[in-house]
Amino acid sequence: MPYSESQKKATMKYMEKAYDRLELQLKKGMKEVYRAQAAAHGMSLNAYIISLLEADAEKKSD
């Protein structure tokens, strides 16, 4: 079944309420390098970046 316009609006409203967005600027070509690095760990690039940030925060709180 196709994704309806009302479903799209509801999803966008939820995402706006539940999540913050962060934009990264990378040198040309680095996105694919980082994406491959994340894939090597079995993660999406987003999940990999978050895991690195959380690990760093945890290390600093110890």
Side-chain angles (χ1 to χ4, degrees):
M1 184 174 347
Y3 195 59
S4 74
E5 197 60 34
S6 61
Q7 287 172 314
K8 181 180 174 183
K9 284 181 183 179
T11 299
M12 289 175 63
K13 183 178 178 181
Y14 170 77
M15 295 290 281
E16 223 173 88
K17 184 177 98 175
Y19 294 96
D20 287 326
R21 294 194 55 83
L22 176 66
E23 183 177 334
L24 297 174
Q25 294 181 347
L26 309 170
K27 292 193 183 235
K28 284 281 187 188
M30 292 308 295
K31 180 170 73 171
E32 289 309 316
V33 171
Y34 296 149
R35 187 172 279 156
Q37 189 174 349
H41 286 82
M43 299 178 178
S44 68
L45 182 53
N46 188 65
Y48 186 57
I49 291 169
I50 291 169
S51 72
L52 292 172
L53 291 169
E54 289 175 345
D56 185 57
E58 187 176 305
K59 186 169 60 174
K60 288 181 179 178
S61 69
D62 289 341

